[in-house]
Amino acid sequence: MTYDVARGRGVSRRAFGLGILGVTVVGCQAEADDPQVTPTGASEGAATSGPTTSAPPVDRSEIAWGRLVEDREQATDVLLEALDGGHPLWQSVRVAALDLVPDGDLPVLVDAVAARLPADGALELGWLLALQSPDLMRRHERAMRAADCWFRLPEDSRDGARSLVFLPAHHLVFAHEHVHAPMSLFDSPLEPPTPTWQPGGPPVGTGLVGGLVPGDCATCGRQLHLLLDLGTFSASAAQPLPRQLVTCGAFSCLWSDQFFQHGDGATPESVHPREFVPGEPDPEPLPALPVAVHPTPSRWHFQDWGLANGMQNLNRLGGEGSWIQDAIHPDCPGCGEVMPLLAQFDSETRFVGGSSWASWTEGIIYCYWCLECRISATSKQQT
């Protein structure tokens, strides 16, 4: 599972896909692990007489993480010192540090990155800054592309003149007692976590995730699972939302687009069955848990699954998708129009005392909404 490989070793997951930027990269650009120490005067593979000693390698990522845990206000200095010294940081540490940087320090980091391109550390930080500060990074776009031909600034999803984002971005935030520590490296959790996990302001609504709903999948006949009950959250009267977003958790059903017709009741009806694949085990339901809906600060309007490296909250209502492959939107079976994205649910969110979306997929489940036809859809992407 990519979660274990990439996040555990601090390797950048850019190789696995940059869906938000419309890029798919083949071949992993990994951060260097600790260098191997060779005794002075000994060539590789040469015999040595008697014991030799050398200083152990310095794990600068562990030191940097310890500084963030001890004092979050060191985040800007941690990143600048890594750039100045040419010290590679684990991608996980880099993401966490940048998320802790005050808004007023972002121009300083952007200028520091531009001055140190094409160094790998500057390039990796430049990719992250392009998501959080695209306007600041725009003037350095040519330099970033010279260093990495795959570099792109993020853009809003559109179908011609029509936006494919149904409402502004909000984060779905779980109480700390319901999820395992989302930001923990080197056996040290970052408490409190960064703003996508614990926003500063009050929620604008509350809802519920997990559990089963009274309805069956039109394809396999299994009982449907609740992805999100919007509860007290409501959009504008001109953009009414469905009360519930549901899915079938069966493996083969999740691999195809699922469609649900919404009526007067809370739970929609599964429609448009596909070919049934027998013999699959029943998917395990998630625990029913409360969730708070928080407006997303503009810095995290764009979030990328690969670049986040498991360190950001990618459970979102509204906003742009954090695509693992490409920005794929199904066509509404009612009107034929491309369906805007409404929500997404990240399998790397680990719930306490029960299964998680990881029991259904190793990636992200996406939900779409056609207001005119009152039809929702779900699909998934994974590596």
Side-chain angles (χ1 to χ4, degrees):
M1 183 175 176
T2 305
Y3 176 91
D4 297 325
V5 174
R7 185 181 180 190
R9 294 181 56 225
V11 173
S12 172
R13 294 192 308 197
R14 277 206 293 126
F16 298 104
L18 291 166
I20 190 70
L21 304 174
V23 177
T24 301
V25 182
V26 178
C28 184
Q29 179 172 350
E31 297 298 331
D33 290 330
D34 291 333
Q36 297 297 315
V37 177
T38 302
T40 303
S43 61
E44 183 178 353
T48 59
S49 58
T52 60
T53 60
S54 60
V58 176
D59 192 333
R60 299 187 183 277
S61 291
E62 184 172 5
I63 293 173
W65 182 257
R67 292 175 62 187
L68 296 176
V69 171
E70 179 182 347
D71 182 5
R72 305 156 70 88
E73 294 184 359
Q74 297 189 58
T76 303
D77 290 339
V78 164
L79 293 173
L80 289 175
E81 290 168 17
L83 288 173
D84 288 339
H87 307 311
L89 292 177
W90 283 15
Q91 176 74 356
S92 303
V93 177
R94 186 183 294 116
V95 171
L98 181 58
D99 282 357
L100 292 175
V101 167
D103 291 352
D105 286 354
L106 292 177
V108 175
L109 285 176
V110 168
D111 290 342
V113 163
R116 290 158 181 81
L117 286 173
D120 286 346
L123 183 62
E124 294 289 346
L125 185 54
W127 276 95
L128 292 172
L129 285 166
L131 293 173
Q132 296 194 15
S133 303
D135 291 340
L136 293 175
M137 286 296 294
R138 194 173 304 279
R139 65 180 185 271
H140 303 302
E141 183 177 7
R142 180 176 298 180
M144 285 289 293
R145 287 199 183 186
D148 186 345
C149 64
W150 294 104
F151 177 76
R152 298 292 186 275
L153 288 169
E155 297 180 350
D156 292 330
S157 300
R158 309 194 73 83
D159 178 31
R162 179 168 162 262
S163 174
L164 292 179
V165 174
F166 190 79
L167 77 160
H170 298 73
H171 272 97
L172 302 174
V173 178
F174 299 92
H176 66 86
E177 63 266 24
H178 293 150
V179 293
H180 292 284
M183 304 191 70
S184 182
L185 294 173
F186 308 105
D187 296 322
S188 298
L190 184 67
E191 294 289 354
T194 52
T196 63
W197 290 104
Q198 187 167 318
V204 293
T206 57
L208 185 72
V209 302
L212 298 168
V213 296
D216 297 327
C217 174
T219 296
C220 70
R222 294 179 174 89
Q223 191 169 358
L224 297 174
H225 296 253
L226 178 67
L227 286 171
L228 176 65
D229 187 307
L230 287 169
T232 64
F233 178 83
S234 62
S236 66
Q239 291 183 306
L241 299 175
R243 172 61 187 268
Q244 291 182 347
L245 296 173
V246 303
T247 192
C248 177
F251 183 79
S252 60
C253 292
L254 274 174
W255 269 116
S256 303
D257 295 333
Q258 301 178 54
F259 297 98
F260 305 91
Q261 182 69 62
H262 293 253
D264 295 333
T267 302
E269 177 187 2
S270 175
V271 294
H272 299 285
R274 297 160 307 283
E275 182 180 357
F276 174 57
V277 179
E280 293 182 0
D282 289 338
E284 186 177 356
L286 275 64
L289 296 173
V291 66
V293 183
H294 287 262
T296 298
S298 59
R299 272 179 65 174
W300 292 277
H301 174 71
F302 296 107
Q303 287 182 279
D304 183 87
W305 176 87
L307 294 176
N309 229 55
M311 297 297 282
Q312 291 180 338
N313 180 8
L314 300 183
N315 301 299
R316 291 161 59 104
L317 175 65
E320 293 283 344
S322 303
W323 309 104
I324 297 177
Q325 278 97 39
D326 296 316
I328 300 174
H329 296 251
D331 295 335
C332 175
C335 63
E337 293 285 346
V338 179
M339 300 180 74
L341 181 72
L342 179 57
Q344 65 180 37
F345 306 91
D346 184 14
S347 67
E348 292 187 1
T349 306
R350 298 169 295 161
F351 298 118
V352 174
S355 63
S356 69
W357 292 301
S359 63
W360 304 349
T361 176
E362 293 181 351
I364 290 180
I365 299 172
Y366 306 92
C367 293
Y368 310 84
W369 175 238
C370 178
L371 173 61
E372 289 73 17
C373 299
R374 294 187 58 77
I375 293 177
S376 64
T378 64
S379 68
K380 75 169 183 178
Q381 292 183 11
Q382 65 182 61
T383 56

